[in-house]
Amino acid sequence: MLGQIISKTLPNSRWALATVVVLLVIELTAFIVAWTAELPGFNLKPSSERRESAEILDFDMPHHEALIDWLRDFPRERLQAMSDFAGFRVERLRSKLPLLIGGLDRLGILPILAALVIQLKDMHWPPQASWPEVFLFALLMGLYWLSVLQVGVRFRLELYDMLLKKALAP
């Protein structure tokens, strides 16, 4: 984004071109480093995937049980009030979330990739994005980040609600 802003404000400057190229190299280098950092864990065998998932569940299970035991130490009325409030918040978030992201949490990255393909199919070099396009791309990225944060909040709320209900169960 910084490269786009520099190329728009100083389009005929060698300094601007050099800065944009350096920023692009930094971005590509960071992408390659992040990608290669994942390679040792990259294994396409389904058995290793199942084993890794089982190890994660085995590690998380005692913590889950300890949380439920800790919650059971609270007075039952307080637990019921917390459970009711968490349930209310989950329902409220479920009703508000589609206003921001629609079906994005179910479709995942597919709508974004489709939008990128449609947007970049006629792209030429050097890119000549107008100021409204730069602003709209920044707004789109911000809204996407906000939607990812909201989905994370919803998952956390659902976990709290589930833990409180399990603590209330006899």
Side-chain angles (χ1 to χ4, degrees):
M1 195 162 126
L2 183 62
Q4 283 288 331
I5 291 171
I6 289 173
S7 68
K8 290 302 286 178
T9 55
L10 305 169
N12 295 327
S13 169
R14 288 193 185 275
W15 176 84
L17 180 63
T19 305
V20 170
V21 168
V22 166
L23 289 172
L24 182 63
V25 167
I26 290 171
E27 183 176 354
L28 289 176
T29 304
F31 175 74
I32 290 170
V33 167
W35 183 69
T36 55
E38 294 294 321
L39 282 181
F42 187 82
N43 194 348
L44 294 176
K45 296 178 186 172
S47 61
S48 67
E49 217 29 67
R50 285 192 301 267
R51 184 175 45 254
E52 185 177 316
S53 179
E55 288 172 359
I56 290 170
L57 288 175
D58 289 344
F59 179 78
D60 288 345
M61 187 66 178
H63 181 66
H64 178 79
E65 290 171 347
L67 275 174
I68 292 172
D69 290 339
W70 175 72
L71 284 170
R72 284 187 177 144
D73 291 340
F74 282 82
R76 190 148 183 84
E77 298 81 29
R78 178 77 174 138
L79 268 181
Q80 186 64 46
M82 290 190 307
S83 179
D84 292 342
F85 181 72
F88 168 74
R89 295 295 297 187
V90 166
E91 289 304 316
R92 184 92 167 115
L93 192 60
R94 281 185 187 153
S95 68
K96 288 185 346 185
L97 201 55
L99 294 174
L100 178 64
I101 60 173
L104 186 65
D105 60 331
R106 289 180 186 85
L107 296 175
I109 195 77
L110 187 59
I112 293 168
L113 290 178
L116 283 174
V117 167
I118 291 169
Q119 181 66 32
L120 300 177
K121 67 181 170 117
D122 295 326
M123 188 173 169
H124 58 282
W125 189 257
Q128 294 296 323
S130 65
W131 280 110
E133 288 174 338
V134 171
F135 175 74
L136 288 174
F137 288 142
L139 181 67
L140 180 64
M141 290 185 332
L143 285 174
Y144 180 71
W145 180 247
L146 189 66
S147 68
V148 168
L149 290 177
Q150 287 294 316
V151 169
V153 167
R154 189 190 78 196
F155 288 158
R156 206 169 323 121
L157 259 173
E158 288 173 348
L159 174 66
Y160 294 159
D161 188 39
M162 186 240 351
L163 286 171
L164 287 166
K165 286 181 179 170
K166 281 192 175 196
L168 281 170

